[in-house]
Amino acid sequence: MTRVTTTYLRKKACSEAEDETVTETPATEYAGQITELTEFLLWLLGEREKLFAAIRAAKSGLPLDIDSETSLNASRQEAVRVLKHMADLRPNEVTVANGGLGYRFNADGNQVSYKCDIRKVTTINFDRNAVKKRAAALARRADEISAEIDRCVVNAPVDYTPPFDVNDSFADVFEAFTGQVRP
């Protein structure tokens, strides 16, 4: 975007030497077309606005609010993961040798600690079958919504004609813009 010219003031330091001026070579082939590049950037932003407006219009005609349902479906799927984890819990009983600590008074009347075994019993405090049913129902709902979202995304027509092919190179698109397309 800038041109850098450096002048080596050699004559000032050494009277027999001549000053030398060097202009740096631009790093890009488009250095001479900065104004056109800014116009191209603004044109691309305008095209993006048109595309987003067309997508918004296409979404408004869908049988569901695709943005909300996508977010809700992520929450549904997370809830299914939690419910499945709950349904997988099992009751158990574990004895931990010397896992407990108690205190007593010895024959001298001093308080001393002692170790004892502990038994941990874990029980399920909810209806696992009800949780399994809810998880299955929610997973089916999430799958149905995912399928509907996929149908909408694949089949929803968007009224927008791109001004260039997405496989075109930057050079091809920019050349076409500078040659024939003007905002």
Side-chain angles (χ1 to χ4, degrees), residues 95-111:
T95 300
V96 179
N98 293 324
L101 184 64
Y103 296 93
R104 66 180 174 93
F105 290 98
N106 64 13
D108 297 329
N110 297 325
Q111 186 177 12

Side-chain angles (χ1 to χ4, degrees), residues 15 24 26 44-45 74 88 91-92 101 130 174 177 182:
S15 60
E24 290 181 22
L44 284 174
L45 285 171
D88 289 342
N92 69 2
L101 184 64
F174 183 63
F177 171 78
R182 287 290 175 190

Side-chain angles (χ1 to χ4, degrees), residues 81-171:
R81 282 190 284 281
V82 170
L83 294 176
K84 283 184 176 182
H85 173 71
M86 289 174 62
D88 289 342
L89 293 175
R90 299 283 184 253
N92 69 2
E93 183 176 315
V94 175
T95 300
V96 179
N98 293 324
L101 184 64
Y103 296 93
R104 66 180 174 93
F105 290 98
N106 64 13
D108 297 329
N110 297 325
Q111 186 177 12
V112 293
S113 63
Y114 65 92
K115 298 222 177 210
C116 64
D117 294 348
I118 60 171
R119 180 180 306 133
K120 283 187 165 184
V121 178
T122 302
T123 56
I124 303 301
N125 197 22
F126 58 90
D127 183 350
R128 283 182 49 233
N129 290 329
V131 170
K132 282 182 185 179
K133 284 182 185 177
R134 288 187 176 101
L138 192 55
R140 278 192 302 278
R141 174 78 173 136
D143 290 346
E144 291 167 0
I145 294 298
S146 287
E148 184 63 21
I149 289 170
D150 289 346
R151 275 192 295 280
C152 289
V153 168
V154 170
N155 297 324
V158 176
D159 186 19
Y160 177 78
T161 304
F164 53 86
D165 189 293
V166 296
N167 296 315
D168 288 349
S169 69
F170 175 84

